[in-house]
Amino acid sequence: MLPIGFFLFGLVSAGVVPLFPLTRYHDFPDFEQYLIDVANSNPSFVQLRDIGRTHEGRRLLGLKIGKPGVNKPVVWIDGGNHAREWPAFHTAIYFIEQFVTRYGQSDRITDYIDKLDIYVFPVLNPDGFVFSRTDTKDLIRQWRKNRAPKNCSGFHSLTVRNVCCEGVDLNRNWDFAFKQTNYPFNNPCSDEFQGPFPFSEPETRAVRDYVTSRELSGRIHAFFSMHTHGQLWILPYNDHRKHHPKDYADLERLAFRAAEALYQYRETKYKIGTAADMLGPATGGATDWIKANTNTKYVYVLELPPDLSSWFAFQVRPHWLLPIAKETWLAVKVILEQTLEDHNLARA
């Protein structure tokens, strides 16, 4: 007799995840334990990935979700790397829950996991995240950077020099149009300090080394990084205006389809384009480097709700976490479907 729950009406049993309610914000140890528990509870199709350490020694953890296979296409999803952007981290957990608990129950989810390898890294800046949770004062709650040691080449004006400030913006630290003379990216006291040199930070080196490792090199077809806020669907490149990759039209076309799917949930509207074209140039971006230095086809940054007019941008009330996650999930599925189609893996 088969164990209860192993097979039910011809379906493989669903995976198991621990409780992680999206009715409140969680601390970093909750994320860490969740990833460990999901991997331990679902060894047939989930594996824990530990890709490096932060300045303060925390692990950069994620999950590989996929049935064993050779050279399967890869979709990468991360919750971003800015400390204060808590909703993005929690949205990534919702995706893990959908993949794991619906495997064997939903034909589409089962298809994704059987035919693709999906890597989900909810928090790529745990030091900054932990720091941002320690106080409600704006200087701490709104912390954006990692926790790199003090750099005393900072400045507050033309006359106030040699100011010591901590942290590097991890999404300005990649070796893409990196330039030490660009203000404010060259000021250690700026939220967007790019660091003293490209890949100066252990967090960015860890992600770079992993996406170019033997495990992943040449296999990532879509790279999807979530941030907050603005309701912006950001395409490469972002170092200056009107700088687009040759296949920009393909990326734009898929982005419009995914945004349309997302809109169906509660009519959330996204603007689509490069950040340079919509907001202004920014150098050293992770997704720009990925697009320029790997063969990854679809590379996006998604700035989750609320829109740019909202004053409470990084303090979304917890009751919005689930709606944001649910609508974004609809967009992710469009990207997964496109990946299957591009590799002739889609169902007829």
Side-chain angles (χ1 to χ4, degrees):
M1 183 176 179
L2 292 173
I4 295 174
F6 189 73
F7 287 97
L8 182 63
F9 304 116
L11 295 177
V12 179
S13 63
V16 177
V17 298
L19 185 65
F20 195 99
L22 293 182
T23 54
R24 63 179 177 87
Y25 285 112
H26 295 257
D27 292 316
F28 178 69
D30 298 337
F31 284 84
E32 193 171 37
Q33 193 61 53
Y34 180 89
L35 297 174
I36 293 169
D37 289 346
V38 171
N40 288 341
S41 299
N42 306 278
S44 66
F45 67 101
V46 182
Q47 295 178 343
L48 187 69
R49 288 292 184 265
D50 181 344
I51 65 172
R53 295 293 186 275
T54 67
H55 275 290
E56 296 179 350
R58 294 183 177 87
R59 293 187 292 176
L60 297 171
L61 294 181
L63 296 178
K64 173 191 175 185
I65 305 173
K67 293 291 286 185
V70 178
N71 292 324
K72 295 166 65 181
V74 167
V75 173
W76 173 287
I77 302 170
D78 69 59
N81 41 42
H82 289 147
R84 63 194 179 195
E85 298 175 6
W86 304 348
F89 308 155
H90 291 72
T91 297
I93 294 293
Y94 179 81
F95 296 167
I96 292 171
E97 181 179 297
Q98 296 305 299
F99 286 128
V100 174
T101 63
R102 297 175 66 188
Y103 180 68
Q105 310 301 301
S106 160
D107 288 344
R108 298 313 300 143
I109 302 301
T110 303
D111 223 26
Y112 300 150
I113 293 171
D114 286 347
K115 296 176 180 179
L116 304 172
D117 284 333
I118 302 157
Y119 288 74
V120 186
F121 284 80
V123 185
L124 291 176
N125 180 9
D127 291 353
F129 178 39
V130 168
F131 182 68
S132 75
R133 297 279 292 166
T134 60
D135 205 308
T136 59
K137 295 177 182 177
D138 279 350
L139 182 63
I140 296 175
R141 170 61 187 92
Q142 306 296 340
W143 189 259
R144 171 182 168 99
K145 300 182 284 185
N146 74 348
R147 295 296 294 165
K150 288 181 179 178
N151 182 318
C152 293
S153 64
F155 51 94
H156 290 322
S157 68
L158 291 176
T159 57
V160 182
R161 312 294 262 178
N162 301 320
V163 180
C164 297
C165 293
E166 299 167 311
V168 167
D169 182 344
L170 297 177
N171 203 35
R172 300 289 181 268
N173 188 237
W174 291 65
D175 194 8
F176 187 90
F178 193 99
K179 192 174 181 181
Q180 276 294 312
T181 57
N182 284 347
Y183 179 83
F185 311 135
N186 62 349
N187 182 4
C189 297
S190 164
D191 267 355
E192 296 185 84
F193 177 49
Q194 63 182 355
F197 54 86
F199 297 116
S200 60
E201 306 310 296
E203 297 91 344
T204 54
R205 291 196 302 272
V207 177
R208 175 202 63 189
D209 292 348
Y210 190 50
V211 299
T212 58
S213 69
R214 180 176 298 182
E215 179 179 347
L216 291 180
S217 180
R219 295 177 54 211
I220 304 177
H221 193 68
F223 193 102
F224 189 82
S225 183
M226 293 179 294
H227 289 249
T228 60
H229 70 107
Q231 291 172 206
L232 303 173
W233 198 293
I234 298 175
L235 284 61
Y237 297 112
N238 294 287
D239 58 315
H240 60 83
R241 299 181 191 277
K242 305 301 181 184
H243 182 197
H244 302 160
K246 292 180 180 179
D247 59 351
Y248 184 83
D250 294 341
L251 274 69
E252 188 178 46
R253 188 160 37 246
L254 181 59
F256 274 110
R257 285 176 44 216
E260 176 62 25
L262 184 157
Y263 177 82
Q264 301 306 312
Y265 184 75
R266 58 181 184 124
E267 299 187 351
T268 300
K269 294 182 179 180
Y270 274 74
K271 294 181 179 179
I272 297 170
T274 72
D277 292 340
M278 293 187 289
L279 301 175
T283 59
T287 52
D288 286 348
W289 188 94
I290 295 291
K291 182 61 179 173
N293 292 277
T294 74
N295 66 347
T296 306
K297 174 68 174 178
Y298 298 106
V299 178
Y300 301 117
V301 170
L302 197 63
E303 296 281 0
L304 300 175
D307 63 27
L308 290 173
S309 66
S310 301
W311 65 269
F312 57 90
F314 302 113
Q315 301 184 30
V316 174
R317 300 299 184 195
H319 68 267
W320 287 113
L321 290 176
L322 198 54
I324 290 171
K326 286 182 175 181
E327 68 185 6
T328 312
W329 171 244
L330 299 178
V332 167
K333 289 196 291 183
V334 172
I335 294 171
L336 293 167
E337 292 288 344
Q338 185 66 51
T339 302
L340 291 176
E341 182 179 325
D342 288 352
H343 289 84
N344 298 314
L345 297 172
R347 294 189 177 192

